[in-house]
Amino acid sequence: SVTPVIHGDLVIVASEQKPVEAYRVRREGGGLAAEVAWSAAEAAFQFSSPVLSSGRLFGFSVRNKGQLVALDPDTGKVLWSGPPRQGENAYLIGAGPVVLMILEDARLEVVDAAADSHVVLATYEVGDDWMWSHPALLEHSLLVKDYDTVHRWELVPASSP
């Protein structure tokens, strides 16, 4: 299931083969009321939970046989779409100025979260087999599990120029 994202007074949700939608939630009387703030038919996050990073909402859409998309979380406008045919699923982690995208084939792409297009800063093979478990980001490492092995990858900060 896809985890909702809270952005200000918006709750952003997605489900199988349906547009990503944001609902504006407010107190009304003794309860809560919600109305659709925006709907993005160009994106459908079926199995992959979106993340916020650098003021953008990133999600892995099932459209075009799998592609990363960046949306404006205030309006739902698609800012850019990555290349098609990347797979059925991806796990996303917002990590400061980058988004870590681990594809089911055990490929990790480090994506520039502030870029105006899909810019991959680095690519790594992080497992030996297919991945169907969400990775865990720790303070200085990343845990990933492929079919039967857990791998720990040490994260080394980039040196300053």
Side-chain angles (χ1 to χ4, degrees):
S1 87
V2 177
T3 303
V5 172
I6 306 299
H7 175 67
D9 66 344
L10 299 177
V11 178
I12 302 169
V13 297
S15 64
E16 187 173 342
Q17 298 298 326
K18 294 188 178 177
V20 178
E21 293 185 323
Y23 292 86
R24 182 160 282 110
V25 180
R26 66 183 184 289
R27 293 196 182 279
E28 189 172 281
L32 297 174
E35 63 188 14
V36 176
W38 56 258
S39 182
E42 303 87 358
F45 306 150
Q46 181 169 316
F47 299 119
S48 177
S49 294
V51 297
L52 288 168
S53 190
S54 295
R56 297 170 180 190
L57 179 72
F58 292 87
F60 192 75
S61 178
V62 296
R63 305 274 192 255
N64 296 315
K65 301 203 185 277
Q67 67 187 137
L68 184 66
V69 297
L71 301 169
D72 179 329
D74 295 314
T75 65
K77 177 185 176 198
V78 175
L79 302 172
W80 56 258
S81 297
R85 300 182 179 277
Q86 290 206 290
E88 293 181 27
N89 193 24
Y91 303 98
L92 305 176
I93 297 175
V98 299
V99 172
L100 305 177
M101 179 173 71
I102 298 181
L103 296 149
E104 65 207 18
D105 64 359
R107 188 171 20 112
L108 165 65
E109 289 188 357
V110 180
V111 179
D112 185 344
D116 292 330
S117 63
H118 185 247
V119 175
V120 177
L121 302 172
T123 302
Y124 304 95
E125 295 296 324
V126 293
D128 301 319
D129 205 341
W130 291 93
M131 297 194 156
W132 291 98
S133 298
H134 200 286
L137 182 62
L138 306 176
E139 187 174 0
H140 297 289
S141 60
L142 181 69
L143 296 177
V144 296
K145 181 190 176 297
D146 60 23
Y147 185 73
D148 61 2
T149 306
V150 175
H151 303 271
R152 180 182 167 272
W153 293 90
E154 184 175 350
L155 303 175
V156 179
S159 57
S160 301

